[in-house]
Amino acid sequence: MILTIGISYFLYSFSKAKYPGCATEIPQNFCGTVSPNLTDNATEGKKIFNINCAACHKLDKNMTGPALRGIHSRREFPYENYLFDFITKEDSLNKINDRYTKILNEEYNYKFDHNFQLTKIEFEYLMEYIK
């Protein structure tokens, strides 16, 4: 009996877990998370979205903040780099009393300033993901 328990323990200890546990990186194809149409850049953008944006935003559903998929086609921004400025230094836009930033803050009734440390490349990856 001790031999059977020992062999069972030995075999069990070398088998891979079927489901990820806490602090285990989830594989891309776990629970329907496969995104076969994503480019490499959009895949990087998805990671950036999950780290920085997903707490308040979803792609297709309003939450604390608006749904972000297709944001460029639904809104007209005051200048070309406005969205990058809004994401990386919203506090500066608020300090200069930017009219469009005030409108967004009133529309979504929030006091959070977006000040994410994104490079232009990371921002482009993020935009490719949410397009």
Side-chain angles (χ1 to χ4, degrees):
M1 184 161 153
I2 294 174
L3 182 60
T4 303
I5 293 172
I7 291 172
S8 298
Y9 176 76
F10 178 78
L11 292 175
Y12 177 76
S13 65
F14 288 105
S15 66
K16 290 189 176 196
K18 291 182 182 179
Y19 304 102
C22 290
T24 303
E25 186 174 325
I26 298 175
Q28 280 289 67
N29 60 356
F30 186 75
C31 290
T33 59
V34 173
S35 301
N37 298 328
L38 292 182
T39 64
D40 289 342
N41 291 350
T43 301
E44 287 302 311
K46 181 177 181 179
K47 291 176 188 176
I48 294 164
F49 177 87
N50 288 335
I51 292 168
N52 296 293
C53 313
C56 298
H57 298 276
K58 297 295 176 211
L59 286 179
D60 299 307
K61 179 180 173 183
N62 288 341
M63 285 188 41
T64 304
L68 293 181
R69 188 182 315 269
I71 192 81
H72 284 97
S73 62
R74 293 192 324 256
R75 284 201 177 266
E76 194 170 310
F77 297 107
Y79 56 91
E80 186 177 341
N81 291 323
Y82 176 80
L83 200 52
F84 178 76
D85 290 346
F86 183 79
I87 291 171
T88 60
K89 55 184 175 185
E90 182 184 355
D91 61 340
S92 298
L93 294 172
N94 284 326
K95 284 179 186 173
I96 64 168
N97 291 319
D98 179 71
R99 187 172 83 55
Y100 194 77
T101 302
K102 280 185 173 184
I103 290 169
L104 287 177
N105 287 336
E106 288 171 6
E107 183 178 343
Y108 289 97
N109 194 26
Y110 66 88
K111 303 291 184 218
F112 179 77
D113 282 343
H114 297 87
N115 290 303
F116 297 107
Q117 302 298 313
L118 298 181
T119 65
K120 286 278 192 180
I121 300 282
E122 291 169 328
F123 175 75
E124 292 301 322
Y125 292 163
L126 178 63
M127 291 301 105
E128 187 165 335
Y129 175 63
I130 67 173
K131 69 178 178 181

